[in-house]
Amino acid sequence: MCFSLQADLVAGAVVLPLGALALREVRAPRELPLAALPVLFAVHQLVEALVWAGADGLVSDTTAHRAALAYVVFALPFLPLYLPLAVLLVARPDRRGLVAPFVALGGAVGAYMAWHLWTGGVRTTVRDHAIVYYVGLGEPEISTGLYIVAVVGACVLAGHRWITAFGLANLVGLLVVGYAYADAFASLWCVWAAVSSVLILVHLARVERGADPRGDGESLQPRTDAAR
């Protein structure tokens, strides 16, 4: 697939209504951060469309730079903390102690990346049909590896089938992108994460209700339209 302004617009436009459906499935406040992820991923892709627009000369350099900064802030400092925390909030009660260390790890990785972003800023270039974001992380292999552990580990250990599937899907995407397109890691993986976030909608709509305890005393049966 050739990644471009159009590809980001399509990805954002497809995932955004799925995110709206995920938000409709929220039954308790602690589900909201996870349910918001597809919408956040969709907006993230639309923001990158502005970066592409800058590369194509359709918007000013200032607008493109601000879009690149917003894109990288979400992808690097924000996401490795937010995603494990969102998973912790919905994890099965007997799994929360296993997920919590990944929240701490994600926070440490996010702080490290935020520091480098603050001190070094961000530069972008287009290479082989993808946007490369230069942040200057020093030892990117280590920080990227810990990023993967934090994000995927929390999902795999949450105790919910579809969240585990989301984590494993992203592990595959991370490994493929890291091997084949390491320079464009932030750009290409986030496209994959946006598309795979449909599994969050599946989790919220089904949550293996009736078989997968939430620990909140709520009925786990799917809601009817009347119950909505």
Side-chain angles (χ1 to χ4, degrees):
M1 177 179 183
C2 176
F3 292 94
S4 61
L5 168 64
Q6 292 78 11
D8 274 326
L9 288 175
V10 169
V14 169
V15 176
L16 193 59
L18 298 178
L21 291 175
L23 289 171
R24 287 191 66 216
E25 295 292 336
V26 171
R27 305 176 75 188
R30 62 189 178 85
E31 293 180 333
L32 185 58
L34 184 71
L37 265 174
V39 169
L40 293 175
F41 278 129
V43 172
H44 197 221
Q45 294 312 124
L46 296 176
V47 168
E48 191 179 50
L50 285 174
V51 184
W52 276 111
D56 294 341
L58 301 176
V59 300
S60 68
D61 290 344
T62 299
T63 298
H65 179 73
R66 289 174 178 172
L69 183 60
Y71 187 90
V72 171
V73 165
F74 178 87
L76 299 184
F78 179 76
L79 199 55
L81 173 61
Y82 181 90
L83 199 157
L85 181 59
V87 171
L88 175 65
L89 291 173
V90 300
R92 282 174 37 183
D94 60 326
R95 296 296 187 93
R96 290 171 191 164
L98 298 176
V99 175
F102 294 96
V103 178
L105 176 60
V109 171
Y112 172 81
M113 292 182 168
W115 170 254
H116 282 278
L117 183 59
W118 176 263
T119 57
V122 59
R123 296 180 295 109
T124 62
T125 188
V126 177
R127 181 184 302 168
D128 297 331
H129 310 299
I131 295 177
V132 179
Y133 295 88
Y134 295 101
V135 178
L137 293 177
E139 297 291 342
E141 295 82 6
I142 296 175
S143 58
T144 300
L146 293 176
Y147 185 117
I148 294 172
V149 170
V151 169
V152 175
C155 294
V156 170
L157 294 176
H160 293 295
R161 178 183 304 171
W162 294 104
I163 294 179
T164 297
F166 173 68
L168 293 177
N170 278 282
L171 176 60
V172 172
L174 286 161
L175 292 176
V176 170
V177 170
Y179 176 77
Y181 243 116
D183 286 344
F185 173 84
S187 178
L188 299 187
W189 173 65
C190 285
V191 175
W192 175 252
V195 174
S196 64
S197 66
V198 67
L199 294 171
I200 293 174
L201 170 60
V202 176
H203 165 75
L204 291 166
R206 297 177 53 118
V207 187
E208 299 142 335
R209 299 181 198 262
D212 212 340
R214 295 185 178 202
D216 55 10
E218 294 182 352
S219 169
L220 302 181
Q221 298 303 318
R223 290 170 294 176
T224 64
D225 289 339
R228 294 176 187 270

